[in-house]
Amino acid sequence: MPVLTKPASSFINGTWVEGSGAAVSRCNPAAPEETVTSYRQAGSAELEQAIRSAAAAARAWDDLGILARGRILSAAAARIRERAEEIAAVMTAEHGKTMAESRMEVDASADTFDYHGGSARNPVGTEYPSSHPDERILTVRRPLGIVGVITPWNFPLQIPAWKIAPALLHGNTVVWKSASHTPGVSVLLMDILAAAGVPAGVVNLLLGPGPLGSELVSHPMVAGVTFTGSVPVGHHIRSIVCGRGAKLQLELGGHNATLVLADADVELAASSVVSAAMGSTGQKCTATRRIILVGDGHEAFLSRVKDKVSALVLGPGTDPAVQIGPVVSASARDEIIAAISQSLAEGGEILAQAATPAGDGYYVPPTLLTGPQSMSICQEEVFGPVATVLHAATLDEAIALANNTAFGLTAAVFTSDERAARRCVTYLEAGLVKVNAPSTGSELHAPFGGMKDSTFAGPREQNSAVAAAFFTHEKTAYLRLAPEKA
Ligand code: NDP
């Protein structure tokens, strides 16, 4: 019995449009024989239609004004809350995460629409002094125009909310290519935005394959692109968008380290690393991938981590007793299991592993490894419930080890030594550094984004001022009075 109560299709100019491409369906990763969502993929014709409708809707949406647009976003937040259980059920069925995780994501997404809706009342622009007494110099912000949004499947509502809410608030129109694994959640968001009062053509959804994303970002009418996903796809998009001089925001993968010092609170550090490494089945860009033990005296910590990993309960996300759902697909499962095997072949060993349930679900047992830091898993982002324990003799050695990847998304440190904590904040190469808290999780009003290969130089995400910097052009207006009439 499908969870999605309406047929899935692309949404263009306020109308549900069946794609001209292949018929595809999305299965439930906990029960792969069960189809959750079926649709026809959008192709180049629908992309062109979406761009034209976004262009046609742009002027009226801009003229509506930021306060009216903010009210529509707040109405969308209320509708997300009203339909929270329905959205969470579709999310769990398509993605595999537990219902508790889906509910948290739905709630955070509603908060995101509320936050950006409310930020409509923030002051805009700056006034500068002029050398002419009859002149005012003001900066004003103008929309980019059409924004192309491309999002991954791992947070199918929250990441689109981070992008679509501020893009709309600032008067842009949107063409969104959502992730193929989670079409139903995207359909529900379109339904909600339309019902909240977003006019036809202002936001358009394309349910299409990856290469359609390339076409979207190549389109000369797309003035800005915001992308979250893997490093290879992000770099491919960067070469296209920068080549044609459009504005670009990238949030990419991570290989996040958590440093544990000997003076850390053992229970806090152990529960935090297990939730950061294994929660959401390890399918978070901010997940802890490497646990670096600094100095000696970590026996109690390691024994708690091993016990907690071994005790994790896997199963379908609809079962309230389950802590860890399946991974998103059979190919993801096979890749993660192959990466674990490769680590063992490269000198690694398994310290702890949870039990895998019976059945056809795409389950990967949460696995705690250790071994030489030359193992490929210490460099490559393996997007699943696997973390590796490494050792460093000193804090400086641990920081160097943590920084020894191409990524720079998040990092965490557990210690009661404030001097050591500050040193980590200063020298860890990560866009987000957390002290005595998991490497995962962020507040939606604080800037979020990485360093190095995890990002692209430019405004990051989430905070409203940062969002305004990305989703608008700043202009400087010199307003001089006409001479007084005699
Ligand atoms: P992908 O990069 O594979 O896909 C992301 C999006 O890009 C999807 O919509 C995908 O479409 C689309 N896409 C695929 N190929 C192309 C292409 N050639 N041109 C344009 N678009 C394309 O990432 P995943 O969906 O697998 O997501 C997991 C990755 O996202 C991980 O690396 C994770 O770390 C990262 N991530 C980063 C976050 C951050 O904030 N830094 C947050 C969350 C995740 P389709 O689905 O049809 O393939």
Side-chain angles (χ1 to χ4, degrees):
M1 180 76 172
V3 190
L4 192 66
T5 49
K6 65 189 300 312
S9 56
S10 294
F11 185 71
I12 302 172
N13 203 21
T15 307
W16 298 102
V17 174
E18 195 173 56
S20 54
V24 291
S25 52
R26 172 64 187 152
C27 72
N28 181 340
E33 69 288 353
E34 186 186 299
T35 295
V36 182
T37 318
S38 302
Y39 61 98
R40 292 193 81 90
Q41 290 178 321
S44 307
E46 290 77 29
L47 170 66
E48 201 54 40
Q49 225 183 317
I51 301 262
R52 300 283 156 196
S53 70
R59 183 60 184 268
W61 183 239
D62 180 15
D63 287 348
L64 192 61
I66 194 164
L67 290 182
R69 293 194 298 266
R71 281 194 289 276
I72 292 174
L73 297 186
S74 301
R79 283 173 190 269
I80 291 172
R81 290 198 180 94
E82 278 163 27
R83 295 176 68 177
E85 273 305 292
E86 176 194 357
I87 305 170
V90 173
M91 194 181 288
T92 290
E94 284 186 337
H95 176 289
K97 59 178 80 182
T98 65
M99 277 300 284
E101 289 166 340
S102 293
R103 288 184 184 116
M104 271 172 55
E105 180 173 345
V106 173
D107 197 40
S109 307
D111 284 351
T112 301
F113 274 94
D114 253 342
Y115 168 67
H116 287 291
S119 73
R121 293 182 188 279
N122 288 354
V124 276
T126 309
E127 180 163 3
Y128 292 88
S130 165
S131 33
H132 292 270
D134 284 347
E135 184 175 72
R136 301 181 73 193
I137 304 175
L138 301 172
T139 58
V140 292
R141 292 202 166 272
R142 300 289 302 131
L144 301 180
I146 301 175
V147 170
V149 173
I150 304 184
T151 52
W153 48 265
N154 67 332
F155 286 93
L157 191 65
Q158 174 71 88
I159 291 175
W162 285 343
K163 297 174 185 299
I164 293 173
L168 294 182
L169 179 73
H170 291 291
N172 300 284
T173 56
V174 166
V175 178
W176 172 30
K177 196 218 88 65
S178 64
S180 295
H181 286 319
T182 47
V185 176
S186 331
V187 164
L188 289 176
L189 181 57
M190 285 303 98
D191 204 31
I192 283 167
L193 291 178
V198 176
V202 168
V203 61
N204 303 275
L205 167 70
L206 297 170
L207 296 182
L212 192 66
S214 277
E215 281 188 54
L216 171 62
V217 303
S218 307
H219 201 289
M221 289 172 71
V222 173
V225 169
T226 173
F227 169 84
T228 296
S230 62
V231 170
V233 176
H235 287 182
H236 163 70
I237 288 175
R238 183 178 68 185
S239 67
I240 297 172
V241 178
C242 292
R244 64 182 187 81
K247 219 165 167 183
L248 178 64
Q249 184 176 54
L250 296 178
E251 293 303 344
L252 308 177
H255 206 303
N256 315 298
T258 291
L259 279 54
V260 182
L261 276 63
D263 62 4
D265 181 294
V266 169
E267 179 52 32
L268 174 70
S271 56
S272 299
V273 295
V274 173
S275 88
M278 311 303 176
S280 291
T281 321
Q283 299 172 121
K284 284 184 179 179
C285 54
T286 52
T288 291
R289 306 279 177 217
R290 292 168 297 150
I291 302 162
I292 302 178
L293 306 182
V294 187
D296 300 319
H298 292 288
E299 295 76 14
F301 167 79
L302 255 187
S303 125
R304 273 192 219 198
V305 173
K306 287 197 264 187
D307 288 350
K308 285 176 192 293
V309 169
S310 310
L312 288 169
V313 179
L314 274 74
T318 45
D319 179 345
V322 161
Q323 296 162 290
I324 307 288
V327 295
V328 74
S329 64
S331 59
R333 176 198 57 199
D334 297 346
E335 279 170 29
I336 300 162
I337 287 177
I340 296 172
S341 303
Q342 188 177 346
S343 303
L344 302 183
E346 290 172 345
E349 65 174 287
I350 292 175
L351 292 176
Q353 199 164 47
T356 315
D360 300 336
Y362 304 142
Y363 294 106
V364 173
T367 303
L368 189 69
L369 293 166
T370 192
Q373 67 127 334
S374 55
M375 293 185 298
S376 325
I377 204 163
C378 295
Q379 293 295 326
E380 287 159 20
E381 185 188 35
V382 173
F383 212 57
V386 186
T388 305
V389 176
L390 300 170
H391 296 264
T394 64
L395 181 59
D396 282 348
E397 202 179 292
I399 291 172
L401 190 54
N403 292 344
N404 184 30
T405 78
F407 299 93
L409 192 56
T410 70
V413 55
F414 287 84
T415 181
S416 41
D417 176 351
E418 192 177 342
R419 191 174 290 278
R422 287 194 198 183
R423 209 169 160 70
C424 289
V425 171
T426 305
Y427 295 113
L428 283 170
E429 292 167 358
L432 202 123
V433 179
K434 296 178 80 177
V435 176
N436 294 319
S439 65
T440 49
S442 62
E443 296 277 356
L444 66 93
H445 49 272
F448 174 87
M451 295 169 64
K452 296 158 74 177
D453 271 1
S454 296
T455 194
F456 172 72
R460 304 194 294 165
E461 286 201 308
Q462 298 192 25
N463 166 266
S464 65
V466 171
F470 179 71
F471 288 107
T472 60
H473 290 299
E474 191 176 50
K475 284 177 151 181
T476 309
Y478 287 70
L479 302 168
R480 201 177 293 183
L481 294 174
E484 266 187 277
K485 294 232 164 58

